[in-house]
Amino acid sequence: MNRNATIGAVVVALVSIVQIARTWGGWTDPLIDFGRELYVAWQVSEGAALYRDVAYFNGPFSPHLNALVFRVASPGIATLAIVNIAVYFGIALLSYDLLRRAGDAFSAAAAGVTLATLFGFIQLVGVGNYNYATPYAHEMTHGLLLSLAAIWCLSRLATTGRRRFAVCCGAAGGMVFLTKPEMFLACAPAIAAGIPALRADRPRNALVIAASGVVVVAAAAGFLWLRTDLATASRGVLGGWVYVLDAEVRALPFYRAIAGLDQPAEQARQMIVMSLAWAMLLALGCGLAALARGALRAVIVTSAALVPPAAAWMFFDDIAWQAIFYPLPAATIVLAIVAAVTIARRGTDESRLIRLTFCVFAAALLAKMILRPVVSHYGFVLAMPATLAVVAAATGWIPGSLKVRLGPAPAGALRVFAVAVIATIVTAHLWAFQRLYASKPVFVGGGRDRIRAADDGRGEAVDAMVWAIERYTPAGSTLAVIPEGAMLNYLSRRRNPTPYVTLLPPEFAMFGAGEILEAYRRRPPDFVVIAPRDLTEYGSTGFDRDYGSAFGAWLHEAYEAVQTAQPAGYRLTLLARRGVPATTGPAKDP
């Protein structure tokens, strides 16, 4: 890399380090999602067979990688977070290098800083886990890293013609297949779009890429077969692909809301309105750029820098910040089409190939949230490449084209305007994050398992319940947390004797209510913790009132209350199986 590229990379790294330091330990949720990631990795590291001993609905790559981390470095939230931060830096480095070669160091650095500040480690919804340190599903971040690696290898194949890059591209794509379907359904079209742009040996390189991917998937199936049986291994290597078209899973209100399909007309209206706003911003920027000549240059550039933050300050409450990223699908599709047309007219070079493959990947990744593309929630991964592509285009690709036509002064003015708009949007989101982060004064766990939690009572209740479990249950006893809360299993180091550690509506839809209940009847846990959970996002009024009513009836007959933890209004209840004694005297609040 040249001097400018090195400076850009250093800036992105420094901003990332600052963000990591200021958010340390406050990334995860004390009960939701990430506890499952910890529990599964811990159990697999202890010898449990994935898909047989631990029910799992994603591919085998991430759980086994995390289990290897735990086997090498011993279990710990901080341990896994540090590895995840390394994954983040891999994503940042690949994104930076790809976008630098697609444009220039400045636009790549602008995209990298956006990644660090808007996506990396902040929280924009009430629940944590939508970040790169403690992701709700490691398949998302691992799949993203591997997809970018595949695109990077394809670009190097196009540049050098060396066959080893085809092998690596296919191997990375095969590993993406072993994460989550949405990641592969974005990676595969990106690779497919880039193959026709290769200069030579297209059929042979395509065959090498495909064969390398198949070998990786076959090797994973063989590994699972050694630990289980052929049917379980086949089911496991398919991971989430088994449920992609499952009507019961797809009908859940949660997934319809994520895609914006619960209110399609309203979501489409907001997309159109916000797309028009983007078009007006682009027109304003180009207009300012056209005027940035001669004596007016300094005034125009100053106006370009000040107008966006001033407008945001004046109309902050009137701006639909949640919907501001709704034009991302249309924008990335347009950028991909422009790249494809340019290749068709002028031929392939490295920058055009990267723009095409990166934008196809970004656009396809938005399919899961097609009418509601936001940077919060799942958007921390799904909307990230599209956002980076738009940032790179606004600060580099478009000004670069303008520079050829109008000269450096107008291009510079447009770049200043784009940076001001992006900085304003990022600042608004960081302000929202800071308000959420300030409400996390509670510490849960200790040592490598210490995390920060919100003052809503859940963190304090979790800490008190871990104390109660250690006091009232014998070492080596088994525990289930219902309907969700594998973090308690992990922090107390109590395993669930059944494969089903989470009992939310998606698990019941995927694994079957009868199969789950039979597994619990066959191997009932010694103790159970009841953790209240708002299930309205799944269209449920409560675990024991609709989808889990039969399970709830069995639980009421088989268990009795031993202890409660309610230090700050949130109530966790510890139950013991009838006939299984607690280890100490009368129940009382800890």
Side-chain angles (χ1 to χ4, degrees):
M1 291 194 294
N2 59 33
R3 183 171 177 268
N4 289 339
T6 302
I7 292 172
V10 170
V11 168
V12 173
L14 289 176
V15 173
S16 298
I17 291 169
V18 169
Q19 283 294 91
I20 292 166
R22 68 190 294 264
T23 60
W24 187 268
W27 305 303
T28 193
D29 187 89
L31 280 172
I32 297 174
D33 285 339
F34 194 66
R36 176 198 63 215
E37 299 293 293
L38 293 163
Y39 176 82
V40 171
W42 168 52
Q43 284 298 287
V44 174
S45 73
E46 294 284 317
L50 198 65
Y51 307 112
R52 183 191 67 197
D53 304 324
V54 179
Y56 202 65
F57 49 80
N58 289 325
F61 181 87
S62 296
H64 286 98
L65 177 61
N66 292 341
L68 179 62
V69 170
F70 279 0
R71 286 184 67 88
V72 171
S74 76
I77 295 175
T79 301
L80 197 53
I82 289 170
V83 173
N84 289 336
I85 289 169
V87 170
Y88 161 81
F89 275 109
I91 291 169
L93 177 63
L94 286 170
S95 299
Y96 177 81
D97 190 57
L98 285 167
L99 294 175
R100 179 185 63 82
R101 290 190 284 121
D104 55 40
F106 183 87
S107 59
V113 170
T114 303
L115 167 61
T117 53
L118 192 57
F119 296 97
F121 307 98
I122 68 173
Q123 177 180 340
L124 296 172
V125 294
V127 176
N129 307 319
Y130 302 113
N131 60 74
Y132 288 81
T134 58
Y136 80 96
H138 283 86
E139 288 79 11
M140 299 294 284
T141 52
H142 293 164
L144 178 58
L145 174 64
L146 292 166
S147 296
L148 292 173
I151 293 171
W152 187 89
C153 289
L154 184 69
S155 72
R156 299 308 298 156
L157 173 64
T159 303
T160 66
R162 294 175 180 171
R163 193 60 47 77
R164 64 171 179 262
F165 289 115
V167 174
C168 292
C169 176
M175 286 183 274
V176 174
F177 182 88
L178 300 172
T179 59
K180 282 176 73 75
E182 55 262 45
M183 304 309 298
F184 186 78
L185 289 173
C187 178
I191 300 305
I195 287 176
L198 297 179
R199 293 175 180 174
D201 270 348
R202 295 186 188 95
R204 184 174 297 178
N205 282 321
L207 182 61
V208 170
I209 290 170
S212 300
V214 170
V215 168
V216 168
V217 174
F223 172 79
L224 292 175
W225 191 3
L226 291 175
R227 297 175 60 81
T228 56
D229 56 74
L230 182 58
T232 303
S234 301
R235 153 69 188 82
V237 82
L238 289 175
W241 292 93
V242 176
Y243 310 109
V244 167
L245 299 179
D246 188 292
E248 189 175 356
V249 175
R250 294 178 65 190
L252 289 170
F254 175 79
Y255 296 110
R256 293 181 59 80
I258 289 295
L261 297 175
D262 55 336
Q263 298 177 312
E266 174 58 21
Q267 294 298 123
R269 184 192 69 81
Q270 290 192 52
M271 291 186 81
I272 292 171
V273 169
M274 198 55 69
S275 296
L276 291 174
W278 276 35
M280 291 174 62
L281 277 175
L282 180 60
L284 175 60
C286 290
L288 289 172
L291 296 173
R293 297 170 182 272
L296 291 177
R297 178 181 175 184
V299 175
I300 294 299
V301 171
T302 302
S303 300
L306 295 180
V307 167
W313 181 77
M314 294 173 59
F315 304 104
F316 189 89
D317 293 334
D318 299 318
I319 297 173
W321 295 104
Q322 185 73 1
I324 206 163
F325 292 93
Y326 279 17
L328 280 176
T332 48
I333 289 170
V334 168
L335 290 174
I337 291 173
V338 169
V341 170
T342 304
I343 288 173
R345 289 180 176 178
R346 303 180 185 177
T348 305
D349 65 12
E350 186 178 52
S351 66
R352 294 167 193 158
L353 176 64
I354 292 174
R355 291 183 189 185
L356 174 63
T357 53
F358 195 93
C359 290
V360 169
F361 173 67
L365 207 55
L366 289 168
K368 190 170 182 176
M369 50 198 320
I370 184 62
L371 291 180
R372 192 175 174 271
V374 294
V375 298
S376 59
H377 209 266
Y378 288 175
F380 83 102
V381 166
L382 298 182
M384 187 278 284
T387 303
L388 265 56
V390 169
V391 169
T395 60
W397 306 351
I398 298 174
S401 178
L402 195 66
K403 182 178 179 180
V404 174
R405 291 169 172 79
L406 299 180
L414 180 59
R415 178 172 280 185
V416 168
F417 181 75
V419 169
V421 171
I422 294 162
T424 301
I425 294 172
V426 169
T427 300
H429 284 79
L430 286 175
W431 182 76
F433 157 70
Q434 194 57 46
R435 288 187 300 168
L436 277 173
Y437 191 73
S439 68
K440 287 190 165 188
V442 178
F443 288 95
V444 180
R448 284 192 278 184
D449 290 327
R450 191 173 190 237
I451 61 173
R452 290 181 60 154
D455 55 359
D456 57 5
R458 296 184 308 132
E460 291 167 289
V462 166
D463 219 28
M465 181 51 71
V466 171
W467 178 91
I469 291 168
E470 292 173 348
R471 179 176 180 184
Y472 290 96
T473 71
S477 58
T478 56
L479 173 73
V481 185
I482 296 173
E484 180 182 25
M487 181 71 81
L488 284 166
N489 291 92
Y490 171 77
L491 291 176
S492 65
R493 299 302 194 266
R494 302 292 196 274
R495 71 178 185 88
N496 187 322
T498 79
Y500 307 105
V501 67
T502 300
L503 301 181
L504 294 177
E507 283 75 15
F508 269 67
M510 289 184 282
F511 302 125
E515 175 61 30
I516 291 173
L517 179 54
E518 179 57 30
Y520 271 79
R521 282 175 169 165
R522 189 165 55 247
R523 301 185 65 185
D526 298 324
F527 297 89
V528 168
V529 172
I530 303 298
R533 173 78 152 83
D534 182 2
L535 298 170
T536 54
E537 63 185 0
Y538 294 106
S540 171
T541 58
F543 173 76
D544 57 351
R545 290 189 290 275
D546 44 41
Y547 76 97
S549 56
F551 191 104
W554 168 78
L555 193 67
H556 179 73
E557 293 176 0
Y559 290 81
E560 58 185 350
V562 171
Q563 180 64 297
T564 62
Q566 193 175 356
Y570 183 84
R571 183 184 182 92
L572 294 174
T573 306
L574 178 65
L575 310 179
R577 184 156 46 91
R578 299 184 189 277
V580 176
T583 57
T584 61
K588 61 180 180 180
D589 287 337

